[in-house]
Amino acid sequence: MPDRDASDFQERFYASSDGLKLYARDYWPEDATGAVGRLPVICLPGLTRNTRDFHPLALLLSRDTLMPRRVIALDSRGRGNSAWDENKANYNLAIEAGDVIAACAALGIERAIFIGTSRGGLILHLIAVTRPDLLDAVILNDIGPVIEAEGLARIRDYLNSGRRPADWYEANAMLKEIHGAAFTALEEQDWREMAHALYRDVDGKPVADFDAAIAEALKSVDFTQPLPDLWVQFESLNRLPLMLIRGENSSLLSKATANEMARRHPGLVLHTAPEQGHAPLLHLGSIPAAIQAFLAGCR
């Protein structure tokens, strides 16, 4: 399966504050005048993921016949088409939040609606404190102020297992072996699309599309100690329209944390993704309609 058709979006490159070359996909409605007056949607991927995760959703939102919006998906440093950082310590939330701010400046975005999957949602917690003027509404995909240690340890283990698929058939099989129990909603085509979102095609073979140092850093996490939480930063989201998507089988975001988020943010829209784990694929099942309904209430 080839990469997504680049005619669906504009490829944009920009510089971080420390000069790293970073990448974004920019999806415009076919009739750009149809999006005039509507804020764009900016999508931030998970720990080792990239812009390809958002492609089906970006097409859906940018081509919506009633309320089309410009959609921008970002590759964080060290992932996808963004440059790898020689200083591996720079793969941290604060630096990556700064990269999002740099993207907004480079792309002329003064205010937007943000979708953050997993690590992307953690970055939005920081931006809510450091640059609240950028945020008009937020959708968090299976992430909150508290991360379940067991779920994070599982991510650490499979990212650092050393297993590398020899071909695309094996890539699909590996993903089903690792995630199949949590993602019973997925069909064969969904697994193939997930593989091509996670891996880059190099001479017909799948290659992990991120700097291995990002996964390596998880080895230093001390899981015998409580993980730090972001409840203080979460409070800065209280003034915003907020949607939380939680995978029914999520190992990273507990029901208890989701319920506490709803208690602290009475206006929070909570949507559960049936038969999906961490993190839900946003273009499947009832999720797209829920996102569209949420966006209909935004500027």
Side-chain angles (χ1 to χ4, degrees), residues 188-229:
E188 284 302 314
Q189 179 63 21
D190 300 317
W191 291 111
R192 286 193 292 269
E193 289 184 358
M194 182 188 288
H196 281 269
L198 178 59
Y199 294 101
R200 178 185 294 273
D201 189 298
V202 178
D203 297 327
K205 295 185 177 181
V207 176
D209 205 8
F210 60 90
D211 187 339
I214 296 167
E216 183 79 16
L218 289 177
K219 294 181 180 180
S220 65
V221 177
D222 184 358
F223 288 97
T224 66
Q225 301 297 320
L227 298 176
D229 66 60

